[in-house]
Amino acid sequence: MAPLPISSIRVGKIEDVQELIKSKPNKVPERFIRDANERGGLVSLKTHLHQPIPVIDLSKLSKPHTNDDFVFEILKLSQACEDWGFFQVINHGLEVDVVDDIEKVAKEFFEMPLEEKQKYPMEPGTVQGYGQAFIFSEDQKLDWCNMFALGVHPPSIRNPKLWPSKPARFSESLKGYSKEISKLCKRLLTYIAISLGLKKETFEEMFGEAVQAVRMNYYPPCSSPDLVLGLSPHSDGSALTVLQQSKDSCVGLQILKDNTWVPVLPLPNALVINIGDTVEVLTNGKYKSVEHRAVTNRERERLTIVTFYAPNYEVEIEPMGELVDDETNPCKYRSYNHGDYSYHYISNKLQGKKSLDFAKILN
């Protein structure tokens, strides 16, 4: 979430989608309309119900490692990371009050007058504040989404001027929520290490003081949802990403599976987890980050709270030796500084998995 100090970026007029649906509820401006080849390839929920994304029960992973439930759930986790790059977690341990409160303050923030939200602007070339991120030109297509993003941990990545004074509980709620999400990410990385046959402390020791950021996404209804995207296709530069969807959310997340966009049906009280580019590199491609996007709905809004969890910016990233074999699985990625990759990631528009080319060894 480090800012990119580029003052020469010209992004043109970026209309606020919440204001658009108030003033022109049946009109979609040209800059939001996607080319036909960007909109298609969707599998319906009915078609794909026989193969929903995996669900991992964390209560089973809290049992002794010799317990049958633990062994079975670790195998499920391994298959989820290898075959899907996405899974939902249930019985994750987050208190209902903590989850409900962050959802409430996020909704209150987006419901504030535009003038209030614009006190915390996302400047061109940065990824903190209110607005749209990853916009680098005046003719770049826009997402049907309003974002509010903040660096959370370590404190050095926070921009205090962008932490809002309203709603009154916002900062307290976000800090409390982020602490719980941090604990969850550490647990998940412990189980992922075990699933790879590594020491359970592998990732925590490697990451140092982890970097954690949050982005709240508000997708208003759109009169022509077939013409727009809520969020452009991309993979995440993080190690893990945690997605919380508001309780009344419609289906909006889609993941690219077998060259087809598959909708993810939210489960009550579940969180959606996805593997980021960093884990793909560390596992030498065994566990892959997956391209995903968001779509909109004609009648219903959607609110999500997304946490990105990654190594410290000073950490050097490269495939772990245990997962590299010169004959059967040669090294696919070069060594690099994670801070350099983060800078590269936020310096470019969202474009599938193109950012990961930064790390690939080209034969």
Side-chain angles (χ1 to χ4, degrees):
M1 296 292 286
L4 181 64
I6 299 179
S7 58
S8 60
I9 294 176
R10 298 290 180 263
V11 298
K13 183 180 181 181
I14 298 179
E15 296 187 83
D16 186 283
V17 287
Q18 286 173 266
E19 299 304 307
L20 270 177
I21 63 169
K22 293 176 186 176
S23 60
K24 303 173 184 177
N26 297 314
K27 181 175 175 58
V28 177
E30 182 66 28
R31 201 170 171 195
F32 289 90
I33 297 176
R34 298 293 181 133
D35 294 337
N37 63 344
E38 293 186 81
R39 309 178 214 149
L42 172 65
V43 167
S44 72
L45 279 173
K46 290 182 180 178
T47 305
H48 219 273
L49 279 177
H50 68 284
Q51 195 184 21
I53 72 166
V55 178
I56 305 299
D57 185 344
L58 289 193
S59 67
K60 294 181 179 179
L61 291 175
S62 299
K63 296 184 177 183
H65 294 191
T66 54
N67 182 279
D68 288 345
D69 284 346
F70 177 89
V71 173
F72 180 72
E73 213 65 17
I74 280 287
L75 286 174
K76 277 177 61 180
L77 176 63
S78 177
Q79 290 170 349
C81 294
E82 192 164 350
D83 297 339
W84 285 84
F86 267 81
F87 52 93
Q88 298 197 61
V89 290
I90 58 174
N91 297 320
H92 44 66
L94 268 72
E95 295 292 336
V96 173
D97 290 349
V98 173
V99 173
D100 288 349
D101 194 48
I102 192 66
E103 180 183 322
K104 185 176 181 180
V105 297
K107 191 170 185 179
E108 288 175 3
F109 176 85
F110 284 111
E111 288 175 346
M112 291 195 303
L114 179 61
E115 299 74 26
E116 186 67 30
K117 292 180 286 189
Q118 287 181 328
K119 292 178 181 178
Y120 315 101
M122 185 181 292
E123 300 292 346
T126 71
V127 289
Q128 293 198 49
Y130 176 75
Q132 285 213 20
F134 305 104
I135 308 298
F136 295 96
S137 69
E138 295 181 280
D139 59 356
Q140 185 178 333
K141 292 295 184 181
L142 300 176
D143 294 329
W144 195 263
C145 174
N146 285 337
M147 302 176 176
F148 186 49
L150 294 169
V152 177
H153 192 83
S156 59
I157 72 167
R158 294 180 192 169
N159 184 340
K161 294 179 180 178
L162 297 177
W163 283 63
S165 56
K166 298 177 183 178
R169 301 179 343 277
F170 186 97
S171 294
E172 179 185 356
S173 178
L174 178 57
K175 289 175 183 176
Y177 175 78
S178 295
K179 284 181 181 179
E180 295 305 308
I181 293 292
S182 175
K183 293 176 187 175
L184 173 64
C185 288
K186 288 176 181 177
R187 285 180 65 198
L188 287 169
L189 287 167
T190 293
Y191 301 139
I192 288 172
I194 293 170
S195 77
L196 291 163
L198 305 170
K199 292 191 306 177
K200 64 180 183 179
E201 306 88 359
T202 296
F203 293 111
E204 186 166 1
E205 292 177 352
M206 180 190 304
F207 283 15
E209 187 174 18
V211 171
Q212 192 169 333
V214 69
R215 189 177 72 223
M216 301 171 179
N217 303 314
Y218 179 77
Y219 306 94
C222 179
S223 60
S224 300
D226 56 319
L227 298 181
V228 306
L229 285 176
L231 189 60
S232 300
H234 63 286
S235 63
D236 293 334
S238 57
L240 291 180
T241 301
V242 181
L243 170 70
Q244 176 183 330
Q245 306 181 80
S246 61
K247 290 182 171 55
D248 56 351
S249 276
C250 55
V251 176
L253 172 64
Q254 297 178 352
I255 66 175
L256 193 61
K257 173 72 170 170
D258 301 327
N259 295 314
T260 303
W261 289 107
V262 178
V264 176
L265 183 64
L267 295 178
N269 303 316
L271 296 169
V272 179
I273 312 296
N274 66 276
I275 298 297
D277 294 344
T278 301
V279 167
E280 174 168 338
V281 172
L282 290 171
T283 63
N284 201 33
K286 181 177 176 64
Y287 292 171
K288 289 183 174 62
S289 62
V290 171
E291 198 172 330
H292 52 286
R293 69 181 186 180
V295 296
T296 62
N297 186 278
R298 189 182 304 277
E299 299 172 351
R300 296 175 62 188
E301 65 182 7
R302 181 168 175 258
L303 172 68
T304 64
I305 297 127
V306 187
T307 299
F308 304 97
Y309 189 88
N312 190 276
Y313 289 139
E314 302 301 320
V315 173
E316 294 294 313
I317 301 296
E318 63 182 356
M320 292 180 286
E322 298 92 332
L323 299 171
V324 175
D325 186 290
D326 290 341
E327 293 186 4
T328 61
N329 190 30
C331 188
K332 299 179 179 71
Y333 308 92
R334 66 180 180 86
S335 175
Y336 61 87
N337 172 266
H338 180 65
D340 290 344
Y341 182 65
S342 297
Y343 185 90
H344 165 79
Y345 186 92
I346 68 170
S347 306
N348 293 276
K349 68 178 183 178
L350 299 179
Q351 199 172 359
K353 292 190 65 171
K354 188 173 176 59
S355 288
L356 197 53
D357 290 348
F358 173 93
K360 288 181 179 176
I361 295 174
L362 302 177
N363 296 323

